[in-house]
């Protein structure tokens, strides 16, 4: 299944109420021609042109819950509705904006997908557990995005609060490490992200 890494929602950039977020187009990188003031924002056309010429930088996050000793007990997987009406499983993901630090981008997408009460615990200096490369041509790597070449920094992020998914994320399902590593779950993940989950588990020493 091809992945379609999510685009920033214009509501996040313009301070629009959450109630409007679901009805806004996702093709704009920020507001672009719709009235944004950030010179890094792109129109639909400019974004399409950039995607044909440049790798796009993304951050991705595997949310986890830990016990009192810091051992990971649960892996959070999002259930997401695509613009085409398909229901797939995925993880927190999104582009890094022009002028934005990786840390700020990571926190923004965690809050966008998991809600403001998720309380992600980012370390002082976040370091990705892997770099995933998505290609428009299937078979170049384990990851596929039919729109673009995307380079993604992938992180494991503990969350301590209540997750209330927003935007196109329908719910967060918490799996045990054994369930997260299963072939059945990998088959439901978009764009090869089942491989990314297994890499996260291996990084945590949980892949048996």
């Amino acid at each position: 299944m091809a992945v379609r890494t999510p685009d920033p929602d214009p509501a996040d950039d313009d301070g629009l109420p959450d109630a409007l977020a679901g009805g806004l187009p996702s093709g704009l990188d920020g507001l672009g021609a719709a009235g944004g003031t950030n010179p890094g924002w792109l129109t639909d056309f400019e974004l399409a042109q950039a995607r044909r010429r440049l790798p796009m930088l993304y951050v991705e996050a595997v949310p986890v819950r830990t016990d009192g000793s810091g051992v990971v007990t649960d892996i959070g997987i999002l259930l997401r509705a695509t613009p085409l009406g398909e229901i797939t499983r995925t993880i927190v993901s999104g582009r890094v904006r022009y002028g934005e630090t990786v840390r700020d981008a990571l926190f923004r997408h965690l809050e966008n997908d998991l809600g403001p009460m998720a309380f992600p615990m980012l370390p002082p200096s976040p370091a990705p557990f892997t770099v995933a490369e998505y290609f428009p041509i299937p078979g170049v790597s384990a990851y596929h995005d039919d729109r673009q070449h995307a380079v993604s920094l992938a992180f494991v992020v503990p969350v301590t609060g209540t997750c209330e998914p927003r935007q196109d994320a329908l719910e967060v399902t918490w799996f045990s490490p054994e369930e997260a590593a299963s072939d059945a779950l990998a088959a439901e993940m978009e764009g090869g992200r089942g491989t990314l989950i297994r890499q996260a588990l291996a990084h945590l020493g949980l892949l048996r």
Side-chain angles (χ1 to χ4, degrees):
M1 179 185 299
V3 64
R4 285 193 172 273
T5 38
D7 294 318
D9 195 310
D12 302 326
D13 298 299
D14 199 33
L16 296 176
D18 290 341
L20 298 179
L24 292 169
S26 61
L28 297 180
D29 183 6
L31 291 181
T37 58
N38 187 325
W41 285 332
L42 303 175
T43 64
D44 261 345
F45 177 76
E46 290 169 334
L47 178 58
Q49 291 292 308
R51 278 178 162 155
R52 283 196 286 268
R53 291 171 169 81
L54 301 168
M56 308 299 288
L57 179 61
Y58 279 75
V59 291
E60 296 188 280
V62 179
V64 300
R65 293 198 184 279
T66 62
D67 62 17
S69 62
V71 175
V72 171
T73 58
D74 300 286
I75 312 294
I77 306 294
L78 295 174
L79 192 67
R80 183 169 78 89
T82 71
L84 300 177
E86 301 170 333
I87 303 298
T88 62
R89 292 196 183 276
T90 188
I91 57 175
V92 174
S93 176
R95 281 203 305 273
V96 179
R97 294 175 181 160
Y98 178 82
E100 183 179 43
T101 66
V102 167
R103 180 188 180 85
D104 287 345
L106 190 58
F107 187 86
R108 174 170 59 86
H109 288 298
L110 283 161
E111 185 175 79
N112 286 348
D113 284 347
L114 303 182
M117 303 302 290
F119 300 138
M121 303 294 289
L122 294 180
S125 181
F129 66 85
T130 193
V131 176
E133 293 186 86
Y134 293 87
F135 290 92
I137 302 171
V140 177
S141 77
Y143 310 103
H144 177 232
D145 183 332
D146 58 8
R147 303 166 305 165
Q148 62 186 350
H149 175 196
V151 177
S152 176
L153 308 179
F155 301 82
V156 173
V157 180
V159 295
T160 59
T162 301
C163 295
E164 297 179 354
R166 303 191 298 172
Q167 298 187 13
D168 60 356
L170 303 177
E171 69 176 27
V172 181
T173 307
W174 295 96
F175 294 90
S176 69
E178 293 76 17
E179 292 170 332
S182 69
D183 291 339
L185 181 62
E188 297 179 24
M189 301 289 292
E190 60 179 7
R193 283 193 171 112
T195 299
L196 198 63
I197 293 296
R198 286 171 172 161
Q199 286 184 297
L201 293 170
H203 172 75
L204 296 167
L206 297 173
L207 190 60
R208 302 285 196 286

